[in-house]
Amino acid sequence: MLGEFLSMAAANLWRMKLRTALTAGGIVIGVGALAAMLSFSFGMQKNVMAEFRSLNLFRTLHVMPSGGDDAGLAFGDGEPEGGHKGREGRRGRAREETSRADRDRAQADRAGAPAERGGAQADSLVMIDDRALEGIAAIDHVDLVYPQDTFDARVEWGEEHAAVTAQALPADFGGKRGAKRVLAGRFFAADSSAEAVVSTRLLERLGTTADSILGDTLHVRTAGRAVLIQQFLGPMLDRMQVPEEMQALALSLVGSFTRSFGRDRCDVVVVGVIEPEGGWGFRLHDVLLPAHVVAGLDRLGFSNPIELLSRMQSGDAPGYPLAVVTVERESDVPAVRDAVEALGLRTFSFVDQFEEMRRAFLIFDLVWAVIGVIALAVASLGIANTMIMSVLERVREIGVLKSLGAREGHVRGLFLVESGLIGLGGSLGGVLLGWLVSRLASLIVRRIMVNQGAPPMDLFHLPGGIALAAIAFGVGVSLLSGLLPAARAARIDPVRALRRD
Amino acid sequence: MTRSTILETTDLTRVYRRGAEEIRALDEVDLRVPEGEYLRVVGASGSGKSTLLNLLAGLDRPTQGAIVTPVGSLASMSSRDLAAYRAGWVGMVFQSFNLIAHRTALQNVELGMLFLGLPKPERLRRAEAMLVDLGLAGRLHHRPGDLSGGEQQRVALARALAKGPRLLLADEPTGNLDRATAAALGRILGDLNRKGLTIVLVTHDAQLAASDVHRTLEMSYGRIIATRVEREGGPTC
């Protein structure tokens, strides 16, 4: 009987083509808007996910020193108790320890004795040294671990020069699966070899190519403490109007003192070219140098705020402010994170951050969905109106059907099928419209991005499941709209209906 | 000839209420129709003829009384069973034909069998055969608007007959037809009765089917005021 009703309903709707098209148009617009907005949101999510994945962020952990009055920094505020108990729990415990420390200090002040620092970890600072790195590398499912050891420097190649951020890495980094592929040449052979790997971005800045620079010597000058002091001291003496002879003497004395900080330059041979990746805090930088070559250089010890905060917290304890760990699979992150925290270190994972982002995207999706639902609600009034008019126009026909043996359920079903068909046609048209709009918008945005020199990106993505859900929702709304008119049709008295002219 | 009873009413009453006003359209009608009878019901407008027919067709429910058929008592049947009764047991023909304007003759007749549960090819086959029997072979795919009054009424008759009903109820079937066409329709109804179909014909045309009907009931103010045997040898219960 459903098949019969479908063909009867389709014939009825086709008879009133204009009315059907206008009524379905409301659904087309409602579902189209819903599909377009959701495809934009899903497109953004897809791009973010793809960017995260391309940078291996879902398989990356940042490891930081821990211990002391740890109230928690911006990333990862774990205590070295082992296990990833949850941020809120750890923040709460850290706040308790800080409060206890304040109470101890206040009590000691009143008693006239030096305060002891509260918290069990005050003097047991866990740094990221070479032994810690070995411990992390030994954890199951860890693919690669290296310290994030960066510093500002100036490189000179021939007559060209550039200010860069240089990075120290172990020699075996190049052989690890997680390392980026070297585009030309090779990685440096040993931790003490005077070699370097540069990025394609640096080649662009120096105005050269891989073939030209491979095998050449690169002069690296660090912007270390000595340079910083001298750069600060000179202008200060000028402002104080110190005589030139006195300035020269002062700079000479400071220079003697700062020589103990270490060398401020090294010469290395360029042996490889690599593609830089990612953004702040986790990229391979423009110049990669062997760890032991960098060890003897005078450096500030930080090149970004995270590293500065880490340094400030750890004081002068030796070790790296940050280490980067990549795991074999995304699913290995929780286990590796727990194992690293069991070593007494703190971790930060982009998986957790992405969960926050995912929640934000969900809220956006809900907002778009609500807007789409409002549009569909307006369209549903049109369907209800059309169906009521249809019932009033077909009263006699309903009487005839009942005289021929139609039950109330048959009549109700026939009109529901008609409203459902309007919704189905409108929803299919709406998804198509939403797809067309998103394609057109994508083309325009890509053209603009290419013209601006940015890599082209597809901003829209409509998963098949969402398209089907939008269609189902449109049909559902239409059926709901048809309920009242269909019930009204079913209740028509056939005797009165057959008497109508 | 003694036949089974195809319809029997007892104290059949239908009252319409309009606020405080009561209209007794049918008032305690007792009636027995044997199978195979050609029964004519006559009376002035408002005498209750159409009300009686609507109750016998199961389109309406009595206020009081019983209508007994071989498939059960219509007054106490569920809506579902009444619909099945209308679908298979009884065929109806109306004064205004009541064809669906946007369907062809063939589709109108085929619609009459939709609720019997027959497959569409079978419905179309029976519909075409019935239309050909009634002389409408060349009008199968014409819509009612393209047909004459007589042709439309024959399409309506084909729709009522194609499902093979046991009872045909005709409510003023010639009311919108000219005399010649009405007479032709009357002959068709007579032929159908001779083949065994029980017919209850409501009409105010005293000449219609005069030589074919077995019995005439005269109604007035909702009551049967007279019964005449028109033709000897009709079926009895």
Side-chain angles (χ1 to χ4, degrees):
Chain A
M1 189 62 73
L2 178 63
E4 301 281 357
F5 282 174
L6 278 170
S7 99
M8 285 171 71
N12 287 333
L13 292 174
W14 183 251
R15 260 189 321 113
M16 311 293 281
K17 285 184 274 295
L18 181 59
R19 181 198 288 179
T20 304
L22 288 173
T23 306
I27 297 287
V28 168
I29 291 170
V31 171
L34 185 65
M37 289 188 290
L38 284 179
S39 75
F40 175 68
S41 177
F42 279 94
M44 296 302 292
Q45 291 180 58
K46 186 182 172 200
N47 287 325
V48 168
M49 290 275 293
E51 191 69 17
F52 270 52
R53 285 225 156 82
S54 73
L55 300 174
N56 276 333
L57 295 184
F58 288 130
R59 297 194 298 122
T60 301
L61 277 172
H62 279 194
V63 181
M64 289 153 286
S66 71
D69 290 349
D70 183 9
L73 293 181
F75 308 102
D77 38 353
E79 289 182 354
E81 356 179 293
H84 181 66
K85 296 290 192 302
R87 293 178 186 283
E88 292 309 313
R90 291 201 298 275
R91 284 205 182 99
R93 285 192 290 278
R95 278 197 288 274
E96 280 176 22
E97 289 188 4
T98 307
S99 300
R100 202 165 40 242
D102 290 341
R103 285 198 298 273
D104 289 344
R105 204 173 292 116
Q107 195 174 17
D109 286 345
R110 285 196 293 276
E116 282 196 14
R117 297 176 71 191
Q121 291 84 26
D123 298 318
S124 57
L125 200 64
V126 180
M127 290 302 300
I128 305 172
D129 52 16
D130 290 335
R131 206 172 72 170
L133 291 175
E134 286 169 17
I136 295 171
I139 296 172
D140 283 343
H141 306 301
V142 168
D143 185 58
L144 178 68
V145 56
Y146 59 92
Q148 187 79 348
D149 187 2
T150 59
F151 56 96
D152 291 329
R154 174 190 162 99
V155 297
E156 295 165 2
W157 175 69
E159 295 182 358
E160 303 294 332
H161 57 87
V164 301
T165 301
Q167 183 174 8
L169 284 173
D172 61 359
F173 174 88
K176 291 291 185 179
R177 185 165 61 87
K180 246 332 193 199
R181 186 174 57 89
V182 173
L183 298 177
R186 57 171 177 82
F187 212 72
F188 29 85
D191 287 335
S192 56
S193 52
E195 296 174 335
V197 173
V198 299
S199 72
T200 52
R201 184 170 49 211
L202 180 60
L203 296 185
E204 284 175 25
R205 292 171 63 193
L206 296 176
T208 185
T209 62
D211 290 338
S212 299
I213 201 170
L214 281 174
D216 277 7
T217 299
L218 195 71
H219 308 289
V220 180
R221 279 204 68 182
T222 63
R225 288 167 289 179
V227 169
L228 194 66
I229 291 170
Q230 287 171 356
Q231 286 181 347
F232 173 71
L233 185 61
M236 188 188 76
L237 293 174
D238 263 344
R239 279 198 292 276
M240 292 168 63
Q241 296 179 333
V242 171
E244 280 189 27
E245 301 80 17
M246 293 303 292
Q247 282 190 32
L249 179 61
L251 286 170
S252 172
L253 285 173
V254 166
S256 303
F257 168 68
T258 58
R259 262 195 290 277
S260 66
F261 290 169
R263 298 175 289 120
D264 67 352
R265 63 185 303 142
C266 64
D267 296 334
V268 290
V269 175
V270 178
V271 296
V273 176
I274 204 163
E275 189 72 44
E277 59 178 87
W280 173 71
F282 47 82
R283 66 180 166 196
L284 291 178
H285 293 266
D286 290 333
V287 177
L288 309 179
L289 297 167
H292 290 184
V293 169
V294 167
L297 296 176
D298 168 33
R299 301 174 289 146
L300 286 175
F302 62 89
S303 65
N304 59 63
I306 280 194
E307 292 173 22
L308 172 60
L309 286 168
S310 252
R311 285 284 182 206
M312 288 167 65
Q313 190 202 16
S314 61
D316 289 329
Y320 305 103
L322 186 73
V324 178
V325 179
T326 56
V327 301
E328 291 168 354
R329 288 179 303 272
E330 289 178 25
S331 54
D332 295 327
V333 167
V336 171
R337 179 175 53 201
D338 289 346
V340 170
E341 289 182 354
L343 296 176
L345 297 164
R346 287 183 297 122
T347 62
F348 164 72
S349 163
F350 281 93
V351 170
D352 293 331
Q353 295 305 308
F354 190 76
E355 282 306 312
E356 299 287 328
M357 213 180 298
R358 209 196 290 269
R359 273 191 278 276
F361 274 124
L362 183 61
I363 292 171
F364 276 121
D365 290 344
L366 288 174
V367 168
W368 297 137
V370 165
I371 294 172
V373 164
I374 291 171
L376 276 174
V378 172
S380 72
L381 295 178
I383 291 179
N385 183 53
T386 294
M387 294 310 298
I388 287 173
M389 281 176 56
S390 182
V391 169
L392 291 174
E393 287 169 358
R394 292 155 65 185
V395 168
R396 177 184 271 202
E397 181 180 331
I398 293 168
V400 170
L401 287 174
K402 287 194 167 185
S403 74
L404 294 175
R407 300 196 293 265
E408 283 193 4
H410 289 139
V411 175
R412 190 181 304 115
L414 178 61
F415 281 89
L416 275 179
V417 167
E418 280 188 30
S419 67
L421 279 179
I422 293 176
L424 179 62
S427 299
L428 287 172
V431 166
L432 182 62
L433 176 68
W435 180 80
L436 282 172
V437 166
S438 65
R439 284 296 96 202
L440 185 63
S442 263
L443 274 171
I444 294 171
V445 167
R446 281 172 79 93
R447 178 63 63 91
I448 292 172
M449 290 172 92
V450 166
N451 287 343
Q452 298 291 328
M457 195 191 299
D458 224 347
L459 291 183
F460 294 85
H461 171 64
L462 187 63
I466 299 298
L468 284 173
I471 291 168
F473 190 67
V475 171
V477 166
S478 305
L479 287 173
L480 270 174
S481 310
L483 273 179
L484 188 63
R488 203 166 159 172
R491 286 196 302 268
I492 281 176
D493 179 359
V495 173
R496 288 189 180 186
L498 289 167
R499 271 202 224 118
R500 279 169 81 119
D501 292 327
Chain B
M1 175 178 56
T2 301
R3 296 281 180 90
S4 58
T5 301
I6 200 165
L7 273 177
E8 183 171 359
T9 72
T10 311
D11 287 340
L12 192 63
T13 303
R14 182 66 171 98
V15 178
Y16 295 103
R17 288 185 173 84
R18 298 285 181 267
E21 189 186 358
E22 266 193 12
I23 300 164
R24 293 183 81 85
L26 212 59
D27 193 1
E28 298 178 357
V29 169
D30 293 329
L31 173 66
R32 183 177 291 173
V33 180
E35 190 170 6
E37 183 174 52
Y38 194 165
L39 178 68
R40 184 171 60 179
V41 181
V42 299
S45 290
S47 61
K49 310 186 299 295
S50 296
T51 303
L52 174 65
L53 222 61
N54 289 334
L55 289 172
L56 296 181
L59 281 173
D60 197 5
R61 287 187 186 269
T63 312
Q64 183 185 306
I67 309 170
V68 178
T69 71
V71 294
S73 168
L74 300 189
S76 56
M77 263 185 196
S78 66
S79 302
R80 192 182 189 94
D81 290 340
L82 268 180
Y85 169 76
R86 291 194 300 271
W89 259 80
V90 63
M92 281 201 78
V93 180
F94 305 91
Q95 178 177 352
S96 53
F97 318 135
N98 279 334
L99 297 176
I100 294 175
H102 57 265
R103 289 179 154 251
T104 64
L106 186 65
Q107 289 168 339
N108 266 289
V109 176
E110 179 247 327
L111 184 67
M113 291 171 277
L114 176 66
F115 303 102
L116 275 181
L118 293 174
K120 187 156 183 147
E122 175 64 14
R123 299 202 305 266
L124 287 170
R125 187 192 65 77
R126 286 196 192 185
E128 185 174 345
M130 187 57 62
L131 284 167
V132 167
D133 274 352
L134 291 178
L136 293 168
R139 308 295 256 165
L140 296 181
H141 303 294
H142 290 120
R143 291 198 165 82
D146 302 328
L147 304 175
S148 68
E151 288 170 336
Q152 289 185 59
Q153 195 60 288
R154 276 187 281 160
V155 173
L157 186 60
R159 182 178 67 187
L161 296 175
K163 56 184 162 182
R166 295 278 295 275
L167 174 66
L168 179 68
L169 303 174
D171 190 356
E172 307 271 11
T174 59
N176 287 344
L177 305 178
D178 58 76
R179 187 155 288 281
T181 310
L185 189 71
R187 284 193 291 276
I188 292 173
L189 291 177
D191 287 341
L192 289 169
N193 175 250
R194 277 187 282 279
K195 288 177 187 169
L197 183 63
T198 308
I199 300 177
V200 177
L201 170 68
V202 164
T203 182
H204 58 260
D205 181 354
Q207 299 302 312
L208 179 64
S211 59
D212 292 323
V213 299
H214 295 113
R215 192 163 52 123
T216 297
L217 300 181
E218 188 173 349
M219 292 190 68
S220 179
Y221 294 107
R223 287 174 172 267
I224 297 175
I225 56 174
T227 304
R228 289 194 303 276
V229 175
E230 303 287 354
R231 198 152 58 91
E232 294 294 338
T236 56
C237 305

